[in-house]
Amino acid sequence: MTARVLVVDDIFPNVKLLEAKLSAEYFDVVTAMNGPDALAVCEQGLADIVLLDVMMPGMDGFEVCRRLKNAPTTAHLPVVMVTALDQPSDRLKGLDAGADDFLTKPVDDAALFARVRSLVRLKSVTDELRTRAMASREYGLVGDPLAAAAAEDGQNAKILVVDDRRSSYERLGATLSQLHRVDIEPDPHQALIRAAEGAYDTVLVSLDLQEFDGLRLCSQLRSLERTRDLAVLMIAESEDRARILRGLDIGVHDFLVRPVDRNELVARVRTQVRRKRFAERLRESVQVSLELAVTDALTGLHNRRYLDSHLAALFDEASLRARPLSVLVLDIDRFKSVNDTYGHDAGDEVLREFATRIRSQTRGIDVVARFGGEEMVVVVPDTGLEGARAVAQRICDRIESEPFAIHQGTRSIPVTVSIGVSARMVEDRSPADLLKRADLALYRAKEEGRNRVVASAA
């Protein structure tokens, strides 16, 4: 997988060396010699991952990383610190700043390329979500999903530790339980089941499980639909470099090397929880925007756009399977006089209650939509004309059964509805034919005195 890699270092030979190595692996390379230039490149969306030196004059790498991770537009960018600093305190400082990893110079080429490919692959998962979430924001469908996602602190997560060494899992559990809810599972077979059913944020897997390949469990967690969104961290021995690189290649998010530093454990888990929740927030905002796009804001019913597409699909399926399909077109009687007499706020109250009463008389598989103004449509699958007429009569009776409260419940008014009903006929060529007959039946109901149901026989 290729990507645009931003190399940031104030020493020119270091920049050229990394640029040559990455270019030979078919990465596109962008360079910057200082922090402000690096931030500008990232803000313009010109990088997929950042390889960041720490020791730079002016703004050091820790500050650059902190700014990238705190900005909603760049918080998703993977950052790898590449530096000569090799003390645990330096590594922890980088992870606390939000870095995804910390590589020590001289950099092992295989480790560098494996880490870059792994992080870019993980980033690509969220890129489409970001694009859709940003489109939702631009169209005013939701608030600022990027800001909400970037604000996640990565704490109070649900963690599953898969380790069969008592001394190891007790130490891991004691450290993580100070900030998270931790479950321990020594049995890898049970761990897969628990991970699928337990709504975990992160799973830590020891690669040293007895009589079971820890990498296989990591692979299963990454491939199963119910667990593929979990953050997975490997715990390995320092000499197990080949398996660590293999784990990154199959999609494991991060790793820790024994003996595990407590502070690094906390920092890496926090980073992975934040990344997972970032993607979840974006996914939720996309779902909300999709729902808003097909929902009428006033009544909460489906809107005309949803009706048009869904009715077409139901019509085609009914035609293919020779199954019945019926449509009800409803119109509130003399609704204009409600607006004229009591005001548009009262009219809105009537419409909301009208929608609620319709839903109370329909099934979950029925489609209830606001067609426009005070006109609603109910699509009734697998139901013939007489069955649909009975549904319409129930709705008509329910609307008339008690007055509608208006002006925030301070008064009430009587409301009735006229309904036209039609059922799919063999000669119908499209849903428009079905709707037209129901609409004509509605007009007859109005002409015959309103507050009634008329079914179209032909």
Side-chain angles (χ1 to χ4, degrees):
M1 174 180 288
T2 189
R4 293 169 296 180
V5 182
L6 172 60
V7 176
V8 188
D9 198 313
D10 63 316
I11 300 175
F12 186 72
N14 291 347
V15 172
K16 298 308 291 182
L17 178 61
L18 274 177
E19 183 178 15
K21 289 181 177 182
L22 291 163
S23 296
E25 293 294 315
Y26 303 102
F27 291 105
D28 294 329
V29 181
V30 185
T31 64
M33 302 286 289
N34 56 64
D37 287 350
L39 292 174
V41 170
C42 295
E43 288 165 359
Q44 294 173 51
L46 300 178
D48 294 307
I49 186 170
V50 183
L51 301 184
L52 180 61
D53 185 38
V54 172
M55 304 300 291
M56 295 185 296
M59 185 186 300
D60 66 16
F62 296 129
E63 180 61 22
V64 174
C65 182
R66 195 172 293 109
R67 293 194 186 192
L68 288 174
K69 292 298 183 177
N70 288 336
T73 55
T74 56
H76 67 291
L77 281 178
V79 177
V80 178
M81 296 283 197
V82 182
T83 178
L85 300 175
D86 60 357
Q87 294 301 308
S89 59
D90 298 317
R91 180 186 296 270
L92 181 61
K93 189 174 180 181
L95 294 171
D96 282 340
D100 296 270
D101 209 348
F102 198 103
L103 299 179
T104 304
K105 297 177 182 177
V107 177
D108 179 280
D109 290 352
L112 171 64
F113 300 144
R115 205 64 179 110
V116 169
R117 290 192 180 96
S118 171
L119 288 169
V120 168
R121 185 167 55 247
L122 295 171
K123 172 182 174 289
S124 68
V125 174
T126 62
D127 278 349
E128 185 175 353
L129 290 174
R130 288 185 68 255
T131 300
R132 293 182 179 181
M134 291 171 69
S136 302
R137 180 182 64 179
E138 290 167 3
Y139 287 117
L141 294 177
V142 294
D144 191 340
L146 299 186
E152 173 58 50
D153 62 9
Q155 295 188 8
N156 196 31
K158 191 174 181 184
I159 311 292
L160 178 64
V161 175
V162 186
D163 195 339
D164 53 12
R165 290 164 51 182
R166 186 182 184 89
S167 61
S168 175
Y169 67 64
E170 285 183 347
R171 188 169 184 267
L172 294 171
T175 300
L176 292 172
S177 61
Q178 298 176 36
L179 296 170
H180 308 287
R181 294 162 291 159
V182 182
D183 291 333
I184 308 295
E185 180 51 70
D187 184 346
H189 300 285
Q190 282 298 118
L192 189 62
I193 297 172
R194 292 184 68 173
E197 298 177 351
Y200 290 98
D201 293 294
T202 303
V203 181
L204 277 69
V205 179
S206 170
L207 297 190
D208 304 318
L209 298 169
Q210 295 184 17
E211 301 180 1
F212 195 89
D213 184 355
L215 272 185
R216 183 165 299 280
L217 176 57
C218 292
S219 175
Q220 291 170 332
L221 289 168
R222 294 294 294 133
S223 62
L224 293 177
E225 182 177 356
R226 294 178 66 180
T227 59
R228 65 181 48 164
D229 293 329
L230 293 178
V232 180
L233 282 80
M234 304 174 284
I235 303 176
E237 300 294 337
S238 58
E239 62 270 15
D240 211 359
R241 175 176 173 275
R243 297 182 77 206
I244 291 173
L245 296 182
R246 179 62 176 153
L248 293 175
D249 187 53
I250 64 176
V252 176
H253 297 77
D254 202 355
F255 64 93
L256 288 152
V257 175
R258 300 184 194 274
V260 175
D261 179 84
R262 293 176 183 270
N263 292 324
E264 183 174 348
L265 168 65
V266 170
R268 288 190 182 275
V269 167
R270 181 178 62 242
T271 295
Q272 294 308 318
V273 171
R274 288 188 65 186
R275 183 176 291 278
K276 175 181 180 289
R277 291 178 177 175
F278 184 93
E280 285 179 344
R281 287 290 188 95
L282 296 182
R283 197 173 289 114
E284 288 169 3
S285 71
V286 170
Q287 183 61 36
V288 168
S289 67
L290 289 175
E291 291 175 359
L292 289 174
V294 296
T295 302
D296 175 63
L298 177 63
T299 63
L301 301 178
H302 293 303
N303 61 16
R304 176 71 178 270
R305 178 189 295 137
Y306 181 91
L307 175 67
D308 289 344
S309 63
H310 209 66
L311 177 56
L314 289 173
F315 181 88
D316 290 342
E317 183 178 3
S319 301
L320 180 66
R321 298 176 180 272
R323 300 290 298 170
L325 176 70
S326 297
V327 166
L328 286 58
V329 178
L330 307 84
D331 190 83
I332 299 176
D333 294 329
R334 298 184 173 88
F335 182 72
K336 184 176 182 300
S337 67
V338 174
N339 284 328
D340 292 345
T341 305
Y342 304 104
H344 287 277
D345 288 345
D348 289 347
E349 290 178 292
V350 168
L351 285 171
R352 283 191 288 266
E353 175 61 19
F354 186 65
T356 298
R357 295 192 190 188
I358 294 174
R359 277 193 297 250
S360 72
Q361 303 301 315
T362 55
R363 305 168 298 176
I365 64 170
D366 299 335
V367 178
V368 185
R370 186 180 181 188
F371 200 61
E374 69 275 18
E375 194 170 68
M376 314 289 178
V377 170
V378 179
V379 183
V380 194
D382 291 326
T383 304
L385 188 63
E386 287 307 310
R389 181 185 181 117
V391 173
Q393 191 59 57
R394 287 203 308 270
I395 294 173
C396 191
D397 293 342
R398 180 69 186 91
I399 298 301
E400 188 187 20
S401 64
E402 59 183 292
F404 281 52
I406 60 171
H407 296 164
Q408 299 182 346
T410 59
R411 65 182 306 171
S412 59
I413 58 173
V415 175
T416 60
V417 63
S418 298
I419 306 176
V421 183
S422 68
R424 187 186 67 84
M425 303 176 69
V426 175
E427 57 268 28
D428 287 342
R429 302 180 64 86
S430 73
D433 297 329
L434 190 59
L435 282 170
K436 183 177 181 179
R437 288 200 308 279
D439 208 36
L440 291 173
L442 171 64
Y443 283 127
R444 290 206 303 274
K446 294 283 189 181
E447 291 172 352
E448 293 174 12
R450 297 183 172 84
N451 188 26
R452 67 191 61 225
V453 174
V454 171
S456 172

